[in-house]
Amino acid sequence: MPDDQPLPAPLLDRLAALLGPRGLLTDPADLEPHLADWRALYRGRTPCVVRPGSVAELAEAVRLCAAAGTPLVPQGGNTSMVGGATPDEGGRQVVVSLARLNRIRDIDPLDMTMTAEAGLVLKAAQDAAAGAGCLFPLSLGAEGTATVGGVLSTNAGGNTTVRYGNARDLMLGLEVVLPDGQVWNGLRRLRKDNTGYALRHLFVGAEGTLGFITAAVLRLFPRARESEVGFCAVRDEEAALALFRRFRDRDEGAVRAFEYMSGEGVGFYAKHIEGGNVPLPGHAHYVLVDLASSRPPEGGNTGLRALLEAVLEEAMEAGEVLDAAIGESEAQRAALWRIREEHPEAQKREGASVKNDVSVPVSKTPELIRRSSEACARLIPGIRPVPFGHLGDGNIHMNLEQPVGMDGAAFLARSHDIMETVNEVVRDLGGSFSAEHGIGRLKTDMMADWRGGAELDLMQRIKAAVDPQGLMNPGKVLP
Amino acid sequence: MPDDQPLPAPLLDRLAALLGPRGLLTDPADLEPHLADWRALYRGRTPCVVRPGSVAELAEAVRLCAAAGTPLVPQGGNTSMVGGATPDEGGRQVVVSLARLNRIRDIDPLDMTMTAEAGLVLKAAQDAAAGAGCLFPLSLGAEGTATVGGVLSTNAGGNTTVRYGNARDLMLGLEVVLPDGQVWNGLRRLRKDNTGYALRHLFVGAEGTLGFITAAVLRLFPRARESEVGFCAVRDEEAALALFRRFRDRDEGAVRAFEYMSGEGVGFYAKHIEGGNVPLPGHAHYVLVDLASSRPPEGGNTGLRALLEAVLEEAMEAGEVLDAAIGESEAQRAALWRIREEHPEAQKREGASVKNDVSVPVSKTPELIRRSSEACARLIPGIRPVPFGHLGDGNIHMNLEQPVGMDGAAFLARSHDIMETVNEVVRDLGGSFSAEHGIGRLKTDMMADWRGGAELDLMQRIKAAVDPQGLMNPGKVLP
């Protein structure tokens, strides 16, 4: 170990004795994948990576590190958008990977619960639920890598929040290794339990700053028996919202996802993504609506298709929907979803872009899109707004693409101004500067401004009460 | 003011100056309704009742009391089942009634949110939602008296948890007056907002021990366009659960309530309640299922009636349902619900009874009912189990009626043993000793045993961090 990574030798020896060679990585090549996440916003250093093989091993490792005053950085799938799981540059922070705690301890289709360990990959959790005839509905781009512990620690959202809520809403109980190495077993699978403070909700969304989530009781749902996907060109942002309302009013439980895309973003998809066909090219605003139902279709009558067609017809008559395509097969539905899913990649290939993960009350989404697009255009003439995302829950990725011909680096140098410009509108609309990605390291300096006063004061008092040494994921969430 | 109620005179003067005669009650007759709740398990004393007319007034009153070291007891509708809002016998605790903070600040059928103040009566919140064409689904026996602040502070459950969750799940944001008099404005109406710790979830269910909830953003839902109620005699407890599963698998979103009742309890209803007709008398186990849907019935086809009839037919063929009655009108549906709603009153008229508000995983409800009934019968021969309640969410009110002919007081003297007997089964099944009523003062002595170790230690650290003087509702929740 290099001299400039000061982990006390006795601690390292004790960790090695506790964890064995599979549980403690010190070889620089083994450390490498743990030093930065996939966005590579930050690159840190670590003396070693702890990979416990059991909760008891993790608890003992945490006790040892707490006694030595050594800070710990939890890592799940390492897919943070905000540097939430990257160690700092100081070289003292030990990375703790939960990857080996990846068992499904229990799955019960009658209770509709699954008890899963933190390192289980989200996709594997979805698959296990499906194998038991159920649905675990959390779904997001990184689901093949992100883990149960990670999505809970960040209260991940994704595409299905409009129907199933965020990760928080899908969790009934937790097991947590606390900063002093105590294990809290709160793995209750109860729908009602009013026995003191709801500690589980404190750890969900705390981004590992209060302890390590090691396992969770997750809620399952009946699986979909039919689904439909419609891809619609809409008149404007208001028409997109009106269309959402039409679906919700007709069958609130059927709307699994409702996604907005700008014409420019859809154009980037057609231009840059292989096989990127767009069924209704040339419009300024699009919506993808995904309907699903667990009701058995009675007598061959597909209820959702009738719903989809009826609502689209009404909305066309009202001038809200200009044109629409309906996925006629699983393959077609997947192809329509791909237009939405490839938005980040298409934007990347078009050039430099600045990402904003913001939310507003659902009713304010049209105003958010319009006003922040206009404000950014005043800031940098020629800038290309490519907003897309979860209109049904008010979370729009208000991204901005560089002007044609502008130098990418020069554009990115304006990132802060662009984000500020968007956030000014967000603030005015009663929104949030981080909807689903969290704070991590990227946005800690915004906490005082947005959540300052009584709120931040309370957070800091709670942090001090739960983690008095300040060893849990230091430098994240709180300024 | 009597000498034995030691409120410092300068504090009383300051409160009087701040609040005026409507805002500060000191006359013993005015204090009387605030000294005990409707169950009258405890009767306390208070030097005065503070009734602030604004959040600013409350904040200033809290500051004054904090400076004087005076403890405060929040009261909403005063319908606690566990003495959660009753001052102690010491005479120093000042009751704070939120009754005058009862405005609806905002209601938005597009966002599907309502911002309501703490003192708003639950029924008024339901009515206001209905007036805006929406549904606020929280529903419980005390809804004509219980308040928004009270149901949030206790995370109330009720009949519709199976479909809409508990009070916690119906809340997006809070406004809270903290123990030092700071006001935290967290009235955000966002479906996604990951900006630090979820403080709102800490105050919900804290029973006023961390601060005063003064207002909340509540979630609304589309109103029901059709509903059906079925009253079924079922073979046994397992058949009740199997029937629940049949409905859930066919249309999970349609099951608004699923209630179990024992034959004995239904018999008490028939015997004691005026007009207490039971459509299918003489069975040992009953279920009430309430279906609702916001989907417009298409072409005169009432989808829920078809669902109800189809499921009942299947369940009859399987021998699970022995007989069933369907409410043919709003009046009939209300009459069927009355059998369930009058259970507490019928039990009261039959004699002395011991109440248990317990929950288990949904799959364990048959075992809970059977095993705890048997165990209680071994404890007190002739005891009459009258379990009823929310089978669909695992929360059974496992009540026990005195043996015929036994002295009521002698029976109640065994309350502790009876509760322990039930709780032993609950514990073995991974359940909770307080499902929806909370801890209040009644159950604090069970916290160490059930939630002790790391969990209770964390709760106490959080309490100390948020309310370092320990002035918020002392003696409640934590031992």
Side-chain angles (χ1 to χ4, degrees):
Chain A
M1 200 166 53
D3 287 344
D4 59 346
Q5 294 177 355
L7 191 71
L11 173 59
L12 196 65
D13 292 344
R14 283 194 199 104
L15 289 174
L18 170 70
L19 299 162
R22 278 191 71 201
L24 186 70
L25 311 180
T26 53
D27 188 303
D30 292 336
L31 303 186
E32 182 56 36
H34 299 276
L35 303 181
D37 61 30
W38 72 281
R39 278 191 83 187
L41 289 174
Y42 306 100
R43 184 181 162 80
R45 295 188 306 148
T46 188
C48 60
V49 173
V50 166
R51 298 173 75 248
S54 69
V55 174
E57 275 186 14
L58 173 59
E60 182 58 25
V62 169
R63 263 191 296 272
L64 292 172
C65 291
T70 296
L72 302 173
V73 178
Q75 269 186 11
N78 211 6
T79 60
S80 174
M81 302 291 286
V82 289
T86 307
D88 72 5
E89 293 79 5
R92 281 191 68 234
Q93 299 184 346
V94 167
V95 169
V96 178
S97 165
L98 282 296
R100 289 173 67 205
L101 298 180
N102 63 352
R103 286 187 311 137
I104 293 172
R105 295 191 194 165
D106 178 87
I107 185 161
D108 187 333
L110 184 46
D111 278 337
M112 296 292 238
T113 57
M114 177 189 336
T115 306
E117 291 184 343
L120 186 73
V121 168
L122 177 53
K123 183 69 169 59
Q126 295 167 352
D127 290 347
C134 302
L135 171 74
F136 181 62
L138 191 69
S139 171
L140 40 83
E143 63 195 27
T145 311
T147 61
V148 165
V151 297
L152 287 171
S153 287
T154 57
N155 187 29
N159 300 329
T160 59
T161 299
V162 62
R163 170 67 182 84
Y164 296 100
N166 298 296
R168 173 185 309 290
D169 305 299
L170 303 173
M171 169 270 325
L172 291 175
L174 291 184
E175 179 187 72
V176 177
V177 172
L178 299 170
D180 60 3
Q182 281 191 91
V183 180
W184 168 46
N185 182 346
L187 288 175
R188 301 192 277 273
R189 46 187 193 178
L190 303 172
R191 309 281 166 163
K192 284 181 176 166
D193 175 30
N194 282 340
T195 52
Y197 306 151
L199 298 179
R200 66 190 188 283
H201 282 292
L202 205 50
F203 293 100
V204 171
E207 305 186 24
T209 62
L210 299 177
F212 294 87
I213 294 174
T214 51
V217 179
L218 303 173
R219 292 177 64 189
L220 305 180
F221 294 82
R223 71 184 192 286
R225 286 195 176 91
E226 56 166 338
S227 66
E228 296 284 348
V229 173
F231 182 78
C232 318
V234 294
R235 189 189 60 220
D236 53 19
E237 298 90 341
E238 282 76 13
L241 181 61
L243 183 61
F244 170 64
R245 190 173 186 174
R246 285 183 190 277
F247 279 108
R248 189 184 63 187
D249 287 354
R250 287 286 282 265
D251 193 348
E252 52 146 354
V255 185
R256 182 163 61 179
F258 194 93
E259 301 281 315
Y260 172 84
M261 288 162 273
S262 72
E264 193 119 37
V266 170
F268 292 167
Y269 169 82
K271 179 176 167 190
H272 293 294
I273 305 296
E274 207 168 313
N277 298 316
V278 174
L280 323 162
H283 292 278
H285 306 275
Y286 295 89
V287 154
L288 182 149
V289 58
D290 186 316
L291 305 176
S293 165
S294 65
R295 298 189 294 273
E298 307 281 357
N301 169 28
T302 61
L304 291 182
R305 175 58 68 96
L307 171 70
L308 181 57
E309 289 177 349
V311 170
L312 289 179
E313 195 180 313
E314 283 174 20
M316 280 182 173
E317 276 171 24
E320 293 156 8
V321 169
L322 306 176
D323 202 354
I326 295 178
E328 295 292 344
S329 64
E330 204 48 59
Q332 281 192 12
R333 287 191 281 272
L336 293 175
W337 257 111
R338 204 169 158 236
I339 303 174
R340 162 62 185 83
E341 293 288 6
E342 293 286 359
H343 257 56
E345 182 62 25
Q347 289 178 17
K348 200 167 159 183
R349 295 190 192 172
E350 177 68 15
S353 71
V354 172
K355 294 180 194 295
N356 289 284
D357 169 47
V358 297
S359 65
V360 292
V362 175
S363 62
K364 307 289 188 191
T365 44
E367 205 177 336
L368 167 70
I369 295 171
R370 187 163 294 165
R371 281 177 56 188
S372 52
S373 297
E374 289 167 1
C376 288
R378 282 193 298 273
L379 182 73
I380 302 181
I383 200 170
R384 291 171 296 168
V386 275
F388 69 98
H390 322 296
L391 186 138
D393 61 41
N395 171 205
I396 300 290
H397 298 295
M398 193 61 231
N399 293 3
L400 286 306
E401 192 83 20
Q402 61 170 82
V404 176
M406 185 174 180
D407 175 63
F411 178 71
L412 291 179
R414 305 292 305 276
S415 294
H416 182 79
D417 295 345
I418 293 168
M419 287 165 75
E420 281 292 291
T421 301
V422 170
N423 280 328
E424 209 167 295
V425 178
V426 170
R427 191 160 205 160
D428 193 50
L429 298 174
S432 172
F433 66 101
S434 191
E436 57 180 9
H437 295 167
I439 303 301
R441 186 168 162 185
L442 183 64
K443 297 185 177 178
T444 51
D445 63 348
M446 300 170 75
M447 286 293 283
D449 190 25
W450 286 72
R451 300 287 175 253
E455 186 165 357
L456 186 54
D457 175 47
L458 262 183
M459 290 187 202
Q460 278 162 329
R461 280 196 266 164
I462 287 165
K463 166 75 173 175
V466 179
D467 177 24
Q469 288 195 85
L471 298 179
M472 295 289 110
N473 212 5
K476 314 291 163 52
V477 182
L478 299 175
Chain B
M1 199 164 55
D3 287 345
D4 59 347
Q5 293 176 354
L7 191 72
L11 173 60
L12 196 65
D13 292 346
R14 283 196 200 102
L15 288 174
L18 171 70
L19 299 161
R22 279 192 70 202
L24 185 71
L25 311 179
T26 53
D27 189 303
D30 292 336
L31 303 186
E32 182 56 36
H34 299 276
L35 303 181
D37 59 32
W38 71 281
R39 277 191 84 188
L41 290 174
Y42 306 100
R43 184 182 162 80
R45 297 187 305 150
T46 189
C48 60
V49 173
V50 166
R51 298 174 76 247
S54 69
V55 174
E57 274 186 15
L58 173 60
E60 181 58 23
V62 170
R63 263 192 296 273
L64 293 172
C65 291
T70 295
L72 301 173
V73 178
Q75 270 186 11
N78 210 6
T79 61
S80 174
M81 301 290 286
V82 289
T86 308
D88 73 5
E89 293 78 7
R92 281 192 70 233
Q93 299 184 345
V94 167
V95 169
V96 178
S97 165
L98 282 296
R100 289 173 67 206
L101 298 180
N102 64 351
R103 285 187 313 136
I104 293 171
R105 294 191 192 165
D106 178 85
I107 185 161
D108 187 331
L110 184 46
D111 279 336
M112 295 292 238
T113 57
M114 177 188 338
T115 305
E117 291 183 344
L120 186 72
V121 168
L122 177 53
K123 183 67 168 60
Q126 294 167 352
D127 290 347
C134 302
L135 170 74
F136 181 62
L138 191 69
S139 170
L140 39 84
E143 64 195 27
T145 312
T147 61
V148 165
V151 297
L152 287 170
S153 288
T154 58
N155 187 30
N159 300 330
T160 59
T161 299
V162 62
R163 170 67 182 85
Y164 296 100
N166 298 296
R168 173 185 309 289
D169 305 299
L170 303 173
M171 169 272 322
L172 292 175
L174 291 183
E175 178 186 74
V176 178
V177 172
L178 298 171
D180 60 3
Q182 282 191 90
V183 180
W184 168 46
N185 182 347
L187 290 174
R188 302 192 276 273
R189 46 187 193 179
L190 303 172
R191 308 282 165 162
K192 284 181 176 166
D193 175 30
N194 282 340
T195 52
Y197 307 150
L199 298 178
R200 66 190 186 282
H201 283 291
L202 205 50
F203 293 101
V204 171
E207 306 186 24
T209 62
L210 299 176
F212 295 87
I213 294 174
T214 51
V217 179
L218 303 173
R219 293 177 63 189
L220 305 180
F221 294 82
R223 72 183 192 287
R225 286 194 175 92
E226 55 165 338
S227 65
E228 296 284 349
V229 173
F231 182 77
C232 318
V234 294
R235 188 189 59 218
D236 52 19
E237 299 90 340
E238 282 76 14
L241 181 61
L243 184 62
F244 170 63
R245 191 174 185 173
R246 285 182 190 278
F247 280 108
R248 189 186 62 187
D249 288 355
R250 287 285 281 264
D251 193 348
E252 52 147 353
V255 185
R256 182 163 60 179
F258 194 93
E259 301 281 314
Y260 170 85
M261 287 162 274
S262 73
E264 193 119 38
V266 169
F268 292 167
Y269 171 81
K271 180 176 165 191
H272 293 293
I273 304 296
E274 207 169 314
N277 298 317
V278 175
L280 322 162
H283 292 277
H285 305 274
Y286 295 90
V287 153
L288 182 149
V289 58
D290 187 317
L291 304 176
S293 166
S294 66
R295 299 189 293 275
E298 307 281 355
N301 168 30
T302 61
L304 291 182
R305 175 59 68 96
L307 171 69
L308 181 56
E309 290 176 347
V311 170
L312 289 179
E313 195 179 314
E314 282 173 19
M316 279 182 174
E317 276 171 26
E320 293 157 8
V321 169
L322 307 177
D323 202 354
I326 295 178
E328 295 291 346
S329 64
E330 204 49 59
Q332 282 192 9
R333 288 191 281 273
L336 293 175
W337 257 112
R338 207 172 155 233
I339 303 173
R340 162 63 186 81
E341 293 288 7
E342 293 287 358
H343 256 56
E345 183 61 25
Q347 289 178 17
K348 199 167 157 182
R349 294 191 192 172
E350 177 68 14
S353 71
V354 172
K355 294 179 195 293
N356 288 286
D357 169 46
V358 297
S359 64
V360 291
V362 175
S363 63
K364 307 290 188 191
T365 43
E367 207 178 336
L368 167 71
I369 295 171
R370 188 163 293 166
R371 281 178 55 188
S372 52
S373 295
E374 290 167 0
C376 287
R378 282 193 298 273
L379 182 74
I380 302 180
I383 200 170
R384 291 172 295 169
V386 276
F388 68 97
H390 322 296
L391 187 138
D393 62 40
N395 172 206
I396 300 291
H397 298 296
M398 193 62 232
N399 292 4
L400 286 306
E401 192 83 21
Q402 61 168 83
V404 176
M406 184 174 180
D407 176 64
F411 179 72
L412 291 179
R414 305 292 304 276
S415 294
H416 183 78
D417 296 344
I418 294 169
M419 287 165 75
E420 282 291 293
T421 300
V422 170
N423 280 328
E424 211 167 292
V425 178
V426 169
R427 191 161 205 161
D428 193 50
L429 297 174
S432 172
F433 67 101
S434 191
E436 59 180 7
H437 295 167
I439 303 300
R441 186 168 162 185
L442 182 65
K443 297 186 177 178
T444 50
D445 63 349
M446 300 170 75
M447 286 293 283
D449 189 26
W450 286 72
R451 300 287 175 255
E455 185 165 358
L456 186 54
D457 174 48
L458 262 183
M459 289 188 203
Q460 278 163 329
R461 280 196 267 165
I462 287 164
K463 167 75 174 177
V466 178
D467 178 24
Q469 288 195 85
L471 298 178
M472 295 290 111
N473 211 6
K476 313 293 163 52
V477 182
L478 299 175

